[in-house]
Structure formats: C-alpha cells, structure tokens
Amino acid sequence: MRFYGKEKQDRFAYYLIGKKGIFLDVGCYHPTQWNNTKALEEAGWKGLMFDIRDKWVDLCRQHRTSKVFCVDVSTDEFAEILKDNLEKPVIDYISLDADDGSLGALQQLLTNGYSFKCMTFEHDFYDRGNVLKAPSKALLEAYGYQPLFEDVKLADGKIWEDWWINPTCFPPELMEIACKETFFEECVLKVMGFRDDNE
C-alpha cells in the first residue's frame, strides 16, 4: 500500500482504524502530494475534503473521488455541509490543518455534536507557539479527548502536531504507548506495534 502523508499521518489513521472508515480532510491542500487522506481513499475509506483556496479545491475535484468543498471551515457553512453530507456524527479520522481556521473548525465540529476516533491536529508550535496549541488542547480535553502523541516532532526537532484519540473508542491499553515530543516515525511504529500485539 502506498502512503502519501508528509509525516505519516495517514499511516497513523490506517493502523489505528483499519481498511475502511470515514475521514474529514480539513485544509486538504494538494490531492496527492503530502496528502493525509489519499491513501485512505484508495484503501476504501469514504470522506469529505475542505479547503479555502479554489486552486486546491479544483485540483482535488479532478484527482480525488471524495467530495471537495471550498469553504471557510471556521464558519457555520462548514457545519451545514457536514450535516448535509455525513450519515453519522462519528468520524473515524480527521486531518485538521486549516491554519488560522483550525480552531474555528474544531469548535464547529465539537459544538455541533460531531466526534472522532482519531485526529492529527497541526498547530505549528515551532513557528506559532501556543496560538493554536494551547486553546485546541483545552477544548479537546474538555470534550474528553486525549493526546496519544503530543508535540510530535519533525526530523529537525521542530514541534509540529498533536495526535488525538477518543479513549472510549479504543482499548484502555492504547494509552500505554502515549508519549510526548516524539518523532513522527516513532509514533507510527508504536501504533503498529500496538495493533500487532492486539490482533
């Protein structure tokens, strides 16, 4: 199986959830290059894609099978699209990287009754400090989510993302692999090891 995620986010979702699921790609960017959901789509997942730039939306419409929407995901319009296009309020994986719209998107999801099993949230702490990191963590923890891997790092040590789970969707033992300030590759290896130990 080919994966496309720049920092193995698609592997994280695939090894946690499996061969089929529902995804949201919020801030989808390019349809294949560094894309966190292309591999999932090819594996049989279904999903919705969102970006605020017409260029990426048009390109994704040409090269992806999932529905793609050009929308500001921090607005009520985002919630309306979800309501009209999702059969169930539970999403298996969310890739959330909408830059300045990320917090608004997260609020739209949670306050409108949507939940997820796992999510990669890009907060770019190395560049933006706690602008996205601290408020997203406070919001998610208030809703009962836990960071499986917090402050995931690039190869050069820059802190990039948090990888979250809904603890009610997984065995309690999953949190035994939780860690902080770990490189992307190590996080994926931990998830693969957990999956292999529990099959």
Side-chain angles (χ1 to χ4, degrees), residues 137-150:
K137 183 178 181 182
L139 182 59
L140 285 161
E141 288 182 337
Y143 276 84
Y145 293 95
Q146 294 181 351
L148 186 61
F149 303 119
E150 188 174 351

Side-chain angles (χ1 to χ4, degrees), residues 31 54-66 68:
D54 288 318
K55 173 184 178 181
W56 302 127
V57 170
D58 291 343
L59 204 57
C60 287
R61 284 176 176 158
Q62 295 171 34
H63 298 281
R64 297 288 296 269
T65 59
S66 299
V68 191

Side-chain angles (χ1 to χ4, degrees), residues 17 21-24 26 45 78 82 86-96 105-119 139-140 143-145 164-170:
I17 305 297
I22 302 295
F23 68 77
L24 295 184
V26 185
W45 287 49
F78 175 54
L82 296 177
L86 285 177
E87 293 180 8
K88 298 178 181 178
V90 180
I91 299 131
D92 293 295
Y93 168 60
I94 300 175
S95 170
L96 213 171
L106 192 57
Q107 290 169 332
Q108 288 288 345
L109 284 159
L110 297 175
T111 59
N112 283 286
Y114 295 96
S115 64
F116 63 84
K117 295 179 182 178
C118 66
M119 177 176 70
L139 182 59
L140 285 161
Y143 276 84
Y145 293 95
W164 291 86
I165 64 158
N166 182 339
T168 67
C169 298
F170 301 98

Side-chain angles (χ1 to χ4, degrees), residues 162-189:
D162 291 335
W163 290 3
W164 291 86
I165 64 158
N166 182 339
T168 67
C169 298
F170 301 98
E173 296 78 23
L174 179 60
M175 286 307 297
E176 293 175 8
I177 67 170
C179 55
K180 191 171 181 178
E181 294 192 28
T182 306
F183 294 103
F184 286 95
E185 179 73 32
E186 295 172 24
C187 294
V188 171
L189 289 174

